[in-house]
Amino acid sequence: MTINEIQDEIIEEFSGFDDWMDKYQLLIDLGNEQEPLDDKYKTEQNLIDGCQSRVWLQADLVDGNIHFSAESDALIVKGIVALLIRVLSDHTPQEILDADLYFIEEIGLKEHLSPTRSNGLLAMVKQIKMYALAFSKK
């Protein structure tokens, strides 16, 4: 699936809920479904700067695509990073760099996050794009 097809799928999933408490629960569920990050990747180097919660992000280039894995110690943040990984993992560095992450706005995530969580979301996106930029140079 393309990045946009995955985003459209996520928008569809979230559109089934009107109440933001239900959307938060969906985020928590998505985070809980995510594979736990191997402890060997829970290093200072993999911590994302700018997140109030602890968020570890591991990126590996596999057959020309970047595979991301991540974990957070906060339930909602874990769900947010799970969404980002679902959208961007296993795509080429250029596809990731070119991606317009419109699903964040469409599902109302930006407006329903606290300022610190919003900053954390931006920090996660920035780090993912930095990995894509670094891998595109190889």
Side-chain angles (χ1 to χ4, degrees), residues 24-81:
Y24 284 132
Q25 188 57 54
L26 178 57
L27 273 176
I28 291 167
D29 293 345
L30 291 169
N32 287 334
E33 289 168 12
Q34 187 178 325
E35 286 288 316
L37 185 65
D38 192 314
D39 283 342
K40 72 180 179 186
Y41 296 127
K42 291 182 182 177
T43 63
E44 281 295 314
Q45 181 185 335
N46 283 348
L47 271 175
I48 295 180
D49 282 335
C51 287
Q52 190 176 30
S53 317
R54 292 165 57 87
V55 180
W56 296 271
L57 179 68
Q58 173 65 27
D60 298 291
L61 192 62
V62 181
D63 299 327
N65 290 336
I66 304 175
H67 178 77
F68 292 103
S69 48
E71 193 165 323
S72 174
D73 58 3
L75 291 173
I76 290 175
V77 176
K78 194 173 178 177
I80 293 168
V81 78

Side-chain angles (χ1 to χ4, degrees), residues 53-122:
S53 317
R54 292 165 57 87
V55 180
W56 296 271
L57 179 68
Q58 173 65 27
D60 298 291
L61 192 62
V62 181
D63 299 327
N65 290 336
I66 304 175
H67 178 77
F68 292 103
S69 48
E71 193 165 323
S72 174
D73 58 3
L75 291 173
I76 290 175
V77 176
K78 194 173 178 177
I80 293 168
V81 78
L83 281 178
L84 289 173
I85 286 175
R86 183 169 151 196
V87 170
L88 296 169
S89 194
D90 302 317
H91 290 281
T92 67
Q94 197 58 53
E95 287 171 329
I96 294 167
L97 289 169
D98 292 343
D100 168 25
L101 299 178
Y102 58 84
F103 82 96
I104 295 168
E105 198 77 44
E106 288 287 323
I107 65 174
L109 197 53
K110 218 174 194 171
E111 66 195 64
H112 286 90
L113 291 179
S114 66
T116 53
R117 278 205 185 112
S118 213
N119 288 341
L121 171 61
L122 293 174

